[in-house]
Amino acid sequence: MKDLISEQQFMLKQPSAPRRTPSDAFYFRLSNRLATIIESRHLLAGWDQSLRLRVALALTGYIQDILTDAGIWRSFTERCHVLYGCYVPFYPEPEDYIPHELNEIDVRFLIWYTLSMNSDERRVWNPADPAIEEASRQLHAELDRVYDDPDTPMPDDYNIAKGLEVANPEEADEVFHFGHWLFMHCYLMTPAYAMTLAQIMSDPELRKGQDMERLRKVLEESMMDDPTGPLALYLHEWLYLILEGKMPPAPKRSQSDEEEAEDHPWYTAFMRANDGVPIRFFHTYAELNRFFIEALGWDEGENLPHLKNASDFVLLVNQKKGMLCAAGVAKCIRLPENPCYDAEFARENAIDLLTVRGVCPADLLHYVLERKGLPDAHFPGTADAGLVERNADFIARCYLQKYYRGD
């Protein structure tokens, strides 16, 4: 039978590539066996075959990782536990869950994550979809057989970063090589990076593929500047977690930073006009513009005229940053200060604030989530808003990436 996954596709996911290792043949066959199970049993039939094959490759990377304790999956689940009190988002942990070993809900999460992040039509998809659960049950059974088989070869070369230290200058080249593979090829990072990469490659000049040096520089800049992976961590954060088992030290703030500048003048004027509340909502542009003129002392006439045809505005102020204005989102936010909230509209549209980049400014989304202000947001195909509310920060990280974590 013809392989569904080519050797080239498999080797692109291997940290030791292009060098071949003794265990490559076994795990290449495993990736194709998983792909065959998916295809022959008609699992995940609602998704394109290319996405189903990505699932097989992701699960192969996952089992290579946990067998040799390469630290990638460990770092993700440990950080989830710190942030959310659970090892894997969305799914209740069964009593027999063992961190850093093979678990069915790990498999289920990876299937959802790989499909959703790489899909256009089904990008915002319900993690509790029965098709995903059934696929995870059957694929976990095959992985479990491999995991418990004493003849399964240990993929030692998957753990290329073993023993490396982030801050050791003598190992800088090896750390950079590992970081490059992690960012560009690792099973856990690349799904979340797919949309960022697509945005980079939308540049017509880069799309021509003629200036490879410029493309290399753009991608290296992205490695340094953009978060990635399901938790939208920056590369140095992933490297510290994997190599050192902890987040990087926080940058030291000087006394001058702590004592820096006075409150932003817009913040002062806004808080004075809004009874000390840092957020305000407006139905119409006319209401918004009137507030600019009468409360903030802006010029008469049309302020921010590019917003004239929009509605449902939110203003939020910050002591140091000043003021942000968001249009089209007020009806989704349920807070006591919001007269614009519309429950029916929110049920249809609130999920976009967590999953569509650029819809809601990061500072506003953080403010709203801290106050549980999106209770109606739910994945399509389910009315379970609680699933989103319990995982809202994770969903925003995973889908929005730098649009949520960037400053």
Side-chain angles (χ1 to χ4, degrees):
M1 181 178 177
K2 183 181 178 182
D3 291 331
L4 294 168
I5 293 170
S6 70
E7 272 196 271
Q8 181 183 29
Q9 290 171 315
F10 171 79
M11 289 304 298
L12 277 172
K13 295 293 184 182
Q14 301 308 300
S16 56
R19 180 174 61 86
R20 302 296 179 112
T21 72
S23 64
D24 282 348
F26 177 88
Y27 291 98
F28 171 60
R29 290 195 301 272
L30 174 60
S31 68
N32 273 289
R33 198 154 68 245
L34 294 172
T36 299
I37 289 171
I38 293 171
E39 297 303 302
S40 64
R41 299 179 189 177
H42 307 291
L43 302 175
L44 307 172
W47 284 267
D48 290 343
Q49 186 187 54
S50 63
L51 299 180
R52 298 196 295 267
L53 298 183
R54 286 177 188 255
V55 168
L57 282 167
L59 294 179
T60 304
Y62 160 72
I63 199 166
Q64 289 176 286
D65 178 6
I66 60 173
L67 278 171
T68 192
D69 195 16
I72 301 160
W73 184 254
R74 174 188 290 270
S75 298
F76 166 62
T77 54
E78 289 289 345
R79 192 62 189 159
C80 279
H81 200 264
V82 169
L83 291 171
Y84 310 122
C86 62
Y87 288 103
V88 180
F90 302 130
Y91 308 113
E93 289 168 13
E95 290 185 6
D96 60 352
Y97 185 89
I98 303 175
H100 324 135
E101 296 195 18
L102 176 66
N103 294 281
E104 190 273 329
I105 62 169
D106 296 356
V107 173
R108 200 185 318 179
F109 171 82
L110 278 170
I111 293 172
W112 169 84
Y113 170 65
T114 305
L115 291 173
S116 297
M117 293 299 104
N118 287 294
S119 178
D120 292 326
E121 295 179 359
R122 295 186 169 198
R123 180 170 171 79
V124 183
W125 201 255
N126 178 19
D129 186 330
I132 291 175
E133 183 175 3
E134 177 60 20
S136 71
R137 186 184 66 79
Q138 296 197 40
L139 294 169
H140 173 265
E142 176 62 19
L143 292 173
D144 194 40
R145 187 187 66 77
V146 171
Y147 193 72
D148 290 336
D149 187 343
D151 293 328
T152 293
M154 191 61 65
D156 293 322
D157 290 286
Y158 200 83
N159 195 352
I160 63 166
K162 186 176 182 179
L164 293 179
E165 296 178 5
V166 177
N168 185 348
E170 294 182 359
E171 297 175 337
D173 288 345
E174 291 93 333
V175 170
F176 179 83
H177 171 74
F178 175 64
H180 184 275
W181 172 80
L182 195 68
F183 203 90
M184 296 295 176
H185 301 290
C186 175
Y187 75 95
L188 190 62
M189 307 302 161
T190 52
Y193 186 61
M195 180 171 282
T196 303
L197 181 60
Q199 290 170 336
I200 291 171
M201 297 306 297
S202 66
D203 181 333
E205 292 302 312
L206 291 178
R207 232 180 15 247
K208 290 177 184 175
Q210 295 174 348
D211 191 345
M212 297 308 294
E213 178 61 21
R214 179 167 173 246
L215 176 60
R216 184 189 63 79
K217 288 180 66 175
V218 168
L219 291 177
E220 286 189 3
E221 287 172 3
S222 179
M223 279 176 54
M224 299 299 111
D225 297 340
D226 292 328
T228 191
L231 291 174
L233 299 181
Y234 292 92
L235 182 58
H236 72 284
E237 294 174 324
W238 282 117
L239 288 172
Y240 263 91
L241 285 171
I242 294 167
L243 303 181
E244 310 284 347
K246 60 185 179 182
M247 288 289 281
K252 292 181 180 179
R253 294 177 62 85
S254 67
Q255 190 172 355
S256 60
D257 287 336
E258 299 291 345
E259 297 170 352
E260 86 178 272
E262 309 166 348
D263 290 349
H264 197 287
W266 291 352
Y267 172 82
T268 304
F270 186 100
M271 295 294 277
R272 186 186 304 119
N274 203 43
D275 299 324
V277 178
I279 194 167
R280 189 175 179 110
F281 301 84
F282 306 86
H283 288 286
T284 66
Y285 172 79
E287 294 173 3
L288 176 72
N289 193 47
R290 191 179 314 120
F291 181 82
F292 287 150
I293 296 167
E294 296 177 359
L296 303 187
W298 290 17
D299 292 340
E300 293 284 346
E302 294 178 343
N303 294 284
L304 306 184
H306 64 286
L307 297 176
K308 280 178 61 177
N309 295 324
S311 62
D312 305 310
F313 301 95
V314 186
L315 292 180
L316 179 71
V317 288
N318 176 280
Q319 278 181 280
K320 305 306 177 189
K321 296 180 182 179
M323 181 173 64
L324 67 79
C325 179
V329 299
K331 289 197 288 188
C332 294
I333 299 170
R334 191 172 79 179
L335 291 177
E337 308 89 347
N338 185 10
C340 305
Y341 169 69
D342 181 327
E344 184 176 351
F345 182 89
R347 280 192 292 273
E348 293 297 318
N349 298 280
I351 191 67
D352 289 353
L353 277 66
L354 296 168
T355 59
V356 181
R357 300 179 183 187
V359 167
C360 184
D363 285 347
L364 175 58
L365 188 53
H366 281 284
Y367 182 94
V368 170
L369 293 186
E370 286 167 6
R371 292 156 181 79
K372 299 188 182 299
L374 295 178
D376 304 292
H378 62 273
F379 284 104
T382 173
D384 181 9
L387 180 66
V388 169
E389 188 171 44
R390 291 189 299 273
N391 296 278
D393 178 77
F394 170 76
I395 294 167
R397 284 171 177 261
C398 190
Y399 280 93
L400 303 181
Q401 296 287 306
K402 65 182 177 181
Y403 290 83
Y404 183 66
R405 283 218 64 207
D407 187 359

